[in-house]
């Protein structure tokens, strides 16, 4: 039993041919267009660096405070290594910086007292060669 009646040419009752389901490629393209790529290492690294600098901490002090390997912190800040969610959660718990800022760049998830300083560091990082 058909839910929509069709004529001999397979047109539905509106006179239009039924639409085909999207292929897997189309679904992938649609999802990629809808999802922002703010959580890539290249985007997360500068935000972590800006937070650290706004807090006035050296890489060693910051890495030690979140129990993270110092060389790994350098790689994260350069954007050559992703930031594990467990480390992101430590940054959030210790310094009050929300995960939405770290991974998505949402400024509303950044403590208001750190916001101006973090934005300054991010602007300087973008203008640097």
């Amino acid at each position: 039993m058909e839910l929509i009646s069709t004529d001999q040419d397979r047109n539905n009752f509106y006179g239009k041919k039924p639409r085909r389901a999207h292929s897997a490629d189309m679904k992938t393209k649609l999802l990629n267009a809808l999802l922002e790529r703010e959580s890539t290492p290249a985007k997360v690294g500068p935000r972590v660096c800006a937070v650290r600098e706004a807090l006035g901490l050296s890489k060693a002090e910051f890495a030690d405070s979140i129990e993270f390997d110092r060389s790994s912190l350098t790689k994260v800040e350069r954007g050559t290594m992703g930031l594990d969610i467990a480390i992101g959660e430590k940054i959030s718990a210790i310094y009050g910086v929300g995960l939405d800022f770290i991974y998505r760049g949402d400024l509303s998830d950044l403590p208001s007292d750190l916001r101006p300083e973090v934005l300054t560091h991010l602007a300087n990082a973008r203008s640097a060669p």
Side-chain angles (χ1 to χ4, degrees):
M1 179 172 150
E2 289 186 81
L3 296 176
I4 299 176
S5 64
T6 57
D7 63 20
Q8 288 181 337
D9 294 328
R10 304 297 296 163
N11 292 326
N12 63 22
F13 64 94
Y14 294 113
K16 298 178 182 176
K17 296 221 183 268
R19 294 171 55 187
R20 289 184 173 164
H22 292 291
S23 68
D25 290 337
M26 287 297 288
K27 287 180 183 178
T28 302
K29 288 178 184 179
L30 181 61
L31 285 174
N32 286 339
L34 293 174
L35 296 173
E36 294 182 23
R37 297 290 185 202
E38 292 299 318
S39 61
T40 62
K43 299 276 187 162
V44 172
R47 288 193 288 265
V48 171
C49 184
V51 166
R52 177 185 60 77
E53 290 174 345
L55 292 167
L57 299 173
S58 68
K59 286 183 185 180
E61 292 169 327
F62 189 67
D64 292 347
S65 72
I66 59 174
E67 299 173 341
F68 193 49
D69 180 63
R70 294 174 183 184
S71 64
S72 295
L73 177 62
T74 298
K75 292 175 187 173
V76 166
E77 288 188 357
R78 286 185 186 154
T80 59
M81 180 177 140
L83 182 66
D84 185 83
I85 189 69
I87 301 302
E89 288 174 338
K90 285 183 182 182
I91 295 169
S92 180
I94 295 169
Y95 298 108
V97 175
L99 294 175
D100 275 344
F101 172 74
I102 295 170
Y103 292 101
R104 300 168 101 199
D106 184 356
L107 292 173
S108 67
D109 212 19
L110 189 61
S112 58
D113 59 323
L114 279 181
R115 204 170 295 155
E117 192 71 22
V118 168
L119 288 173
T120 300
H121 287 289
L122 283 173
N124 292 340
R126 285 187 187 131
S127 63

